[in-house]
Amino acid sequence: MQLQFSFIIPVYNRPDEIQELLQSFVGLKTNTEFEVVIIEDGSTIPSKNVVDTFKSKLDISYFFKANSGPGDSRNFGMKHAKGNYFIILDSDCILPQTYLFEVEKSLKQNYVDCFGGPDAAHESFSDLQKAINFSMTSIITTGGIRGNKKSVDRFQPRSFNMGISKEAFLASKGFGFIHPGEDPDLSIRLWNLGYKTKLIPEAFVYHKRRISWSKFYRQVYKFGLVRPILNKWHPSTKKMTYWFPTLFSLGFIIAVFLLVFQVKLLIILYALYFVLAFLIALYSTKSVLVSLLSLIAISIQFFGYGYGFLKSTLAVEVFKKNPETHFPNLFFKPS
């Protein structure tokens, strides 16, 4: 099959990000033709003027629609795209020059109907962005599930950098209306339909993560809320590893409590973990400051996700609450 690529990019009030992302498209080293589809998801600060400046440089189309969330916007873009293989990106990403070359090479060698690529920190990113990137991608924190070749789990492509064939999109009907969590939900449904997924390690993007500590906490807290809902929808995907952030957080609280009674073993084990995390971050980032910030990011990630996961598990599994009515902020209404 001759692959025809369509890049699908939803955007919400981020014309500055679209400018940077589209400029990286112009710099791609490829002879492969592709189109770019921008879906403005009900923004009050539209990106149309920015998009118009690239019409002479890229095969690009722009659509404005009512706000209905990133999943529905991606589905909208794929319905209007001309290609037979869609590549979905977040608007806060930047493509390296070899991105499309690596995707095409990998799919020609081992075709799958859905792939994902990792994210990386560009040298221009702030120390905070680099620290959060380490926390979100390191094997010592997330187990590599977001794009590490040594992942401890079956790889679920993430929608900040994800490819899906038109065939698989039509068969699965695309993304659902939960957010976050719409990408692992789609991956699981694709597996159930018999489609294969894979990681393309070389097809990474620079993911800026427009974020602060408070925004990062809210993000990982929502990730924690979503996972028990996905476990309820897809019981076969339940794993004990999803409990790790909750157990880590509760264990730390117990360690501090035991310290009051001069019981130091548990807190020493936590100290060793953070020393190891610092050393791995230092090796990865080559920065003492970023490595120290990474320890803060790891703590926020574990406590935010862990609390969200415990809260959602109690609501969904123990008290049998309906996820859509109990956590309405996690669901968008279809357009």
Side-chain angles (χ1 to χ4, degrees):
M1 179 178 68
Q2 180 64 40
L3 295 177
Q4 299 168 320
F5 293 103
S6 296
F7 285 88
I8 312 298
I9 306 162
V11 59
Y12 181 74
N13 288 342
R14 298 289 174 174
D16 53 334
E17 291 178 352
I18 285 296
Q19 169 76 37
E20 202 167 12
L21 175 55
L22 293 180
Q23 192 59 52
S24 71
F25 275 108
V26 175
L28 286 178
K29 291 183 177 179
T30 179
N31 294 319
T32 301
E33 294 185 359
F34 61 88
E35 70 164 336
V36 180
V37 182
I38 305 294
I39 309 95
E40 193 89 62
D41 187 25
S43 299
T44 57
I45 310 173
S47 304
K48 188 176 187 304
N49 290 340
V50 173
V51 173
D52 286 344
T53 64
F54 285 89
K55 285 192 171 179
S56 62
K57 305 173 187 177
L58 298 168
D59 178 3
I60 191 168
S61 54
Y62 172 90
F63 298 92
F64 187 97
K65 54 178 281 299
N67 179 252
S68 58
D72 188 50
S73 295
R74 296 180 192 116
N75 292 343
F76 181 96
M78 288 186 279
K79 290 175 183 176
H80 289 80
K82 296 175 287 190
N84 59 16
Y85 208 102
F86 310 131
I87 300 178
I88 299 156
L89 301 172
D90 278 357
S91 63
D92 59 346
C93 291
I94 303 171
L95 297 182
Q97 291 181 331
T98 59
Y99 178 86
L100 190 54
F101 170 81
E102 296 294 351
V103 169
E104 194 169 24
K105 181 178 73 171
S106 180
L107 291 178
K108 285 181 178 179
Q109 291 173 347
N110 177 26
Y111 180 82
V112 293
D113 283 280
C114 181
F115 76 85
D119 50 353
H122 193 270
E123 59 183 11
S124 66
F125 287 6
S126 70
D127 290 336
L128 176 60
Q129 288 172 322
K130 291 176 181 177
I132 290 175
N133 181 79
F134 173 82
S135 178
M136 292 291 283
T137 60
S138 175
I139 191 74
I140 200 174
T141 54
T142 61
I145 62 171
R146 295 179 65 89
N148 190 299
K149 286 183 284 187
K150 298 178 180 177
S151 173
V152 299
D153 201 358
R154 188 177 181 184
F155 181 65
Q156 299 175 357
R158 305 288 167 160
S159 52
F160 65 84
N161 179 14
M162 178 182 187
I164 180 173
S165 70
K166 183 175 182 177
E167 177 191 324
F169 165 66
L170 293 174
S172 64
K173 299 181 181 178
F175 293 94
F177 294 96
I178 191 170
H179 178 73
E182 71 276 15
D183 32 14
D185 171 59
L186 176 56
S187 296
I188 296 165
R189 289 189 286 111
L190 287 172
W191 294 341
N192 292 339
L193 289 169
Y195 291 101
K196 293 181 179 180
T197 63
K198 74 172 181 178
L199 168 69
I200 304 180
E202 298 79 13
F204 65 89
V205 298
Y206 298 115
H207 198 183
K208 294 191 72 172
R209 303 185 190 282
R210 38 178 151 78
I211 212 156
S212 63
W213 288 131
S214 59
K215 289 180 180 178
F216 182 51
Y217 175 82
R218 288 196 296 271
Q219 181 187 54
V220 294
Y221 168 69
K222 284 187 174 182
F223 288 161
L225 288 177
V226 159
R227 181 52 67 176
I229 299 172
L230 296 179
N231 289 345
K232 185 177 180 63
W233 290 352
H234 310 288
S236 64
T237 65
K238 287 184 179 180
K239 289 183 173 60
M240 278 302 300
T241 52
Y242 295 142
W243 277 95
F244 178 74
T246 301
L247 297 176
F248 181 96
S249 303
L250 293 175
F252 185 81
I253 294 171
I254 293 170
V256 173
F257 177 78
L258 291 177
L259 192 59
V260 175
F261 299 96
Q262 301 299 311
V263 179
K264 301 178 180 179
L265 178 60
L266 192 54
I267 201 70
I268 290 173
L269 293 176
Y270 275 90
L272 291 174
Y273 172 84
F274 280 108
V275 168
L276 178 61
F278 174 83
L279 293 175
I280 294 174
L282 186 62
Y283 175 80
S284 174
T285 67
K286 307 296 189 294
S287 168
V288 172
L289 178 57
V290 172
S291 301
L292 290 172
L293 291 174
S294 295
L295 302 186
I296 299 175
I298 291 170
S299 300
I300 291 173
Q301 181 174 320
F302 282 168
F303 276 86
Y305 184 102
Y307 172 57
F309 184 88
L310 181 60
K311 179 179 179 180
S312 184
T313 297
L314 291 173
V316 173
E317 296 291 347
V318 178
F319 297 108
K320 307 299 180 184
K321 300 291 186 180
N322 180 286
E324 293 190 37
T325 55
H326 195 69
F327 298 113
N329 291 336
L330 297 178
F331 294 88
F332 281 91
K333 294 181 179 179
S335 57

